[in-house]
Amino acid sequence: EMEPGPQDPLTPYEAESLVESLECLPLEEVGTKKWLRQHQRIERLNAHAHRQAKQGTDEYVVDHLTTLGKIPVVIHSVLTIELWKAKVLPLVKEHVAKLSALRSYVPIYHEASCINLLECCMFHRTSCEAAEDSVIDLMDYCYRKLVYLVSVPNRDLYTQVLEIGRAHV
């Protein structure tokens, strides 16, 4: 049976169940079926949270993430994938290039999905408070990204994107 896509709307009950299922997965799990399932859940929650923010409707996705204490889990997911990209991806890049473009792109895209979802959450003070100590890790992460952006010339950032795209053709 097909998993619902990110565009499929979520009822408050479904959203709560998806949020409830989120857990901190270790680095070794990146790319496994379990990890991919969680990635799909984050995708759906992210798409729905943005839809709710845009429409100004009841933001129950963000509320569930906040009240169920799952914001640190999403932050953990961002940091795990950042570490995976830095330490594991260089070792498996050749192998991964032989796989389908989609499969090799998912872990890289996952980081954006998590950050995107956190962007919706961190707009709210209650979510920032619910992030507890992990908010410091998130600030460190943002700092590392800013340092990277300022230290790498634009033309290099652009060619990296092109090369990643070309490696998957």
Side-chain angles (χ1 to χ4, degrees):
E1 121 193 17
M2 280 273 298
E3 281 276 320
Q7 297 315 317
D8 292 327
L10 284 171
T11 67
Y13 176 75
E14 285 174 312
E16 185 174 17
S17 153
L18 287 183
V19 169
E20 198 112 57
S21 75
L22 298 179
E23 55 182 316
C24 289
L25 298 174
L27 186 68
E28 299 76 32
E29 299 254 350
V30 172
T32 61
K33 275 200 172 96
K34 185 178 186 180
W35 183 90
L36 284 165
R37 262 197 312 275
Q38 178 150 299
H39 166 71
Q40 288 171 333
R41 290 178 185 134
I42 288 173
E43 283 281 85
R44 284 195 75 196
L45 291 166
N46 179 36
H48 205 76
H50 274 82
R51 209 174 296 129
Q52 289 179 321
K54 191 176 172 191
Q55 294 167 351
T57 53
D58 176 25
E59 295 189 45
Y60 54 76
V61 169
V62 171
D63 290 344
H64 290 322
L65 284 161
T66 303
T67 55
L68 296 169
K70 296 295 184 171
I71 290 172
V73 175
V74 181
I75 293 172
H76 177 275
S77 198
V78 169
L79 299 175
T80 304
I81 207 66
E82 181 192 28
L83 188 62
W84 184 88
K85 279 170 57 181
K87 303 290 181 195
V88 181
L89 185 60
L91 303 175
V92 297
K93 215 173 198 163
E94 297 304 308
H95 174 70
V96 167
K98 294 183 185 110
L99 299 172
S100 74
L102 191 64
R103 273 191 59 194
S104 50
Y105 181 66
V106 170
I108 294 160
Y109 180 63
H110 182 68
E111 185 176 7
S113 302
C114 293
I115 283 296
N116 222 238
L117 180 55
L118 287 168
E119 182 186 5
C120 267
C121 294
M122 295 319 219
F123 186 76
H124 303 275
R125 184 179 159 186
T126 48
S127 300
C128 294
E129 288 166 358
E132 296 178 338
D133 292 348
S134 67
V135 79
I136 294 168
D137 297 323
L138 182 60
M139 287 162 61
D140 284 343
Y141 168 86
C142 293
Y143 174 77
R144 285 192 297 277
K145 291 294 172 191
L146 286 170
V147 167
Y148 174 74
L149 284 174
V150 196
S151 62
V152 178
N154 279 352
R155 66 174 180 277
D156 293 352
L157 289 172
Y158 180 68
T159 51
Q160 278 176 16
V161 170
L162 283 180
E163 281 165 16
I164 290 171
R166 228 181 267 120
H168 300 309
V169 175

